């Protein structure tokens, strides 16, 4: 339903532990943030089930359609199709005034010089309210990315020869 409760339930129902659909989920979180700004602080809960203004409905419908089309998404998860001579991880982080995010890829080289690049992990979050400048948000994104990659490297069972970090 196009209510605050419906938006909250739909956005939070997406299970994406690897961050494969993080850009799509972020769109829903941005809608959620704009809607929840107007939540009264009173104890009356009836406002959660009231229909929202029509000016947000088109944005909401577009986002829901993007969510529905995700069933066609296919992401290869094999890090390397054959023997690997060298394996690198490339980690990118970025930020805007609305959100921060990162993505990591595994780049594998075989003995003949062939290269295979595969998505490893990613995530996005709404920009923290306390960060009041884009450089500070860039730092938040870099910290989020490096912490996530550290946890991911602890879980990987393959040998990683080198890690590259990229940020603005």
């Amino acid at each position: 339903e196009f209510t605050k409760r419906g938006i909250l339930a739909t956005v939070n129902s997406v299970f994406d532990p690897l961050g494969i659909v993080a850009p799509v989920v972020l769109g829903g979180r941005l809608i959620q943030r704009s809607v929840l700004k107007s939540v009264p602080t009173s104890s009356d809960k009836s406002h959660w089930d009231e229909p929202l203004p029509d000016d947000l409905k088109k944005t909401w419908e577009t986002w829901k359609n993007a969510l529905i089309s995700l069933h066609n998404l296919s992401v290869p998860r094999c890090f390397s199709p054959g023997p690997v001579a060298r394996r690198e991880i490339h980690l990118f982080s970025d930020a805007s005034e609305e959100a921060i995010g990162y993505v990591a890829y595994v780049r594998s080289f075989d003995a003949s010089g062939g290269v295979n690049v595969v998505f490893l992990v990613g995530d996005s979050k709404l920009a923290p309210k306390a960060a009041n400048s884009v450089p500070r948000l860039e730092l938040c994104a870099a910290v989020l990315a490096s912490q996530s990659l550290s946890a991911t490297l602890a879980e990987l069972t393959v040998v990683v020869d080198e890690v590259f970090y990229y940020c603005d």
Side-chain angles (χ1 to χ4, degrees):
E1 295 181 26
F2 187 56
T3 63
K4 290 178 184 176
R5 187 181 312 274
I7 288 175
L8 189 67
T10 304
V11 171
N12 291 330
S13 70
V14 179
F15 180 69
D16 183 30
L18 296 178
I20 294 172
V21 295
V24 175
V25 174
L26 179 63
R29 289 184 183 147
L30 289 169
I31 294 169
Q32 179 181 326
R33 177 181 268 182
S34 67
V35 166
L36 293 181
K37 281 182 184 176
S38 62
V39 174
T41 58
S42 70
S43 61
D44 180 23
K45 304 286 188 219
S46 64
H47 63 274
W48 282 91
D49 297 314
E50 294 173 4
L52 295 169
D54 288 336
D55 60 333
L56 290 173
K57 191 163 190 163
K58 184 176 179 182
T59 306
W60 173 246
E61 292 297 328
T62 302
W63 183 78
K64 278 193 344 185
N65 290 335
L67 198 61
I68 291 168
S69 68
L70 288 177
H71 77 281
N72 296 325
L73 181 67
S74 174
V75 177
R77 297 299 299 146
C78 180
F79 289 155
S80 53
V84 173
R86 178 174 171 75
R87 188 174 287 120
E88 303 171 346
I89 293 181
H90 293 262
L91 178 67
F92 301 85
S93 67
D94 201 5
S96 72
E97 292 179 355
E98 296 179 332
I100 62 174
Y102 69 90
V103 64
Y105 296 96
V106 175
R107 185 176 184 203
S108 303
F109 299 88
D110 61 21
S112 64
V115 177
N116 184 44
V117 179
V118 179
F119 173 86
L120 177 61
V121 67
D123 198 8
S124 62
K125 298 188 180 304
L126 294 176
K129 297 278 188 189
N132 52 11
S133 68
V134 174
R136 187 172 190 89
L137 290 168
E138 292 285 352
L139 182 60
C140 289
V143 168
L144 176 67
S146 61
Q147 288 174 341
S148 173
L149 186 61
S150 178
T152 302
L153 287 172
E155 297 296 324
L156 280 179
T157 58
V158 296
V159 175
V160 176
D161 298 302
E162 199 165 3
V163 178
F164 296 89
Y165 295 88
Y166 304 92
C167 65
D168 291 345

